[in-house]
Amino acid sequence: MDEVLKIVKDIKAGNIKPIYFLMGEEPYYIDKLSDYIEQNVLSEDEKGFNQTVLYGRDVSIEDIISTAKRYPMMAERQVVIVKEAQDLSRTIDQLENYIENPLLSTVLVFCYKYKTLDKRKKLPKLIAKLGVLFESKKLYENQIGEWIKRVLSGKNYSIEPKANAMLVEFLGTDLSKINNELEKLQIILPKGSIITPKHIEENIGFSKDFNNFELLNALGSKNQLKAFQIVQYFSDNQKANPLVVTTSTVFGFFIKLLKYHGLKDRNPKNVASVLAVNPFFLKDYDLALRNYPMKKVSQIVSSLRDVDVKSKGVGANALPQSDLLREMLYKIFN
């Protein structure tokens, strides 16, 4: 995010490069940067004659270079944006000659999603020297919560830890999807609001009481009644609660608990780092640590491997989801 802010700051200051090559596994920032350039480098009057949007599947590198070599009309510069540029990956090296001597009145932007250039080659080195070579890396799941907090803070909102965890659990690491849901909440809630689990349940559609986060809480506290109520809800709402996600989440929980048992340094900061969990939720792991001795956790992990395999359709003999979930709970609690 810091690199994105720097690129935007430079553009605002008039330090505009002749080429922006935006690449990487995470499309969110690629879209944000290309949209910013598209909306802000030229005035509305200049865009009609001097802003061109091309698509990788429809053009060749020769077409792009030909467009980039045109001079602007009644403006200081022209903007050429190539979206879905990853479709040109086989011929992208043909850009080298143009990049070596770019037309400085052209701002050439490539949106090269889900792929990266080989940085050992000549092309990315040329781009980095004369323009901007930006790589948008996929965030790990344990980084998403902090990202949500930063995005909301920048818009004058905050979020409760449980609500944050719910978003991560249900939306995963797709930043665009998460941002879309956050924008919905920002439309509904006034600036300065604290986003709560209730807001998420009412406006995004996730149950604050029946979800994988609450299931882990029930397992950690050995609340069998609550755990069985949750898995029954999952069985009745299978589309919103895929079996493979639930079994993988529970398996991951006990793997982390096994790591926790093996830690010598149980300083909360170290535990949160090693387990890759939000420090706010360490109390749930502390409770589970007391309720499940290391030997029992090892047995549970071994048993859950079998359930996890069955959840993926291997050797399950077409068992319904409800039976597999009950089997999982039985092996944990007994």
Side-chain angles (χ1 to χ4, degrees), residues 68-98:
K69 285 184 174 180
R70 293 189 315 211
Y71 286 94
M73 292 181 62
M74 297 177 290
E76 183 181 348
R77 57 176 61 90
Q78 71 157 337
V79 174
V80 179
I81 299 174
V82 185
K83 298 190 175 184
E84 308 300 336
Q86 66 274 11
D87 290 337
L88 296 161
S89 60
R90 292 182 180 178
T91 56
I92 199 71
D93 288 340
Q94 293 176 15
L95 270 176
E96 287 179 9
N97 289 337
Y98 175 79

Side-chain angles (χ1 to χ4, degrees), residues 61 65 92-101 121-124 126:
I61 296 295
I65 292 173
I92 199 71
D93 288 340
Q94 293 176 15
L95 270 176
E96 287 179 9
N97 289 337
Y98 175 79
I99 302 303
E100 285 180 327
N101 188 29
K121 291 188 173 182
K122 183 179 179 181
L123 178 61
L126 286 171

Side-chain angles (χ1 to χ4, degrees), residues 121-257:
K121 291 188 173 182
K122 183 179 179 181
L123 178 61
K125 292 176 181 178
L126 286 171
I127 295 171
K129 182 178 179 181
L130 297 171
V132 171
L133 181 66
F134 170 74
E135 182 176 355
S136 184
K137 296 180 180 179
K138 203 83 172 174
L139 295 185
Y140 295 111
E141 186 172 316
N142 65 317
Q143 298 174 306
I144 300 297
E146 192 60 34
W147 181 85
I148 291 172
K149 286 167 62 179
R150 288 184 67 179
V151 168
L152 288 173
S153 177
K155 303 288 181 64
N156 198 22
Y157 290 85
S158 58
I159 186 168
E160 291 184 1
K162 182 178 176 181
N164 196 326
M166 288 172 67
L167 285 174
V168 176
E169 178 189 339
F170 291 109
L171 299 177
T173 60
D174 187 328
L175 299 188
S176 296
K177 187 186 294 185
I178 294 172
N179 188 65
N180 287 341
E181 298 300 339
L182 292 178
E183 287 181 345
K184 289 179 188 177
L185 292 171
Q186 290 163 37
I187 293 171
I188 297 165
L189 303 173
K191 284 187 179 295
S193 296
I194 300 173
I195 297 171
T196 67
K198 186 177 180 182
H199 291 140
I200 299 222
E201 181 177 39
E202 291 177 348
N203 299 291
I204 300 180
F206 308 139
S207 171
K208 65 181 176 61
D209 297 316
F210 297 96
N211 55 63
N212 283 320
F213 171 76
E214 291 298 333
L215 176 59
L216 297 184
N217 181 275
L219 293 176
S221 61
K222 282 198 167 181
N223 188 334
Q224 297 191 35
L225 175 60
K226 183 179 178 182
F228 276 98
Q229 287 174 336
I230 291 172
V231 299
Q232 183 59 52
Y233 177 87
F234 286 179
S235 299
D236 294 339
N237 299 273
Q238 295 183 26
K239 188 175 181 180
N241 303 278
L243 175 63
V244 66
V245 174
T246 299
T247 54
S248 297
T249 300
V250 173
F251 182 74
F253 175 75
F254 282 100
I255 286 289
K256 289 178 180 179
L257 196 57

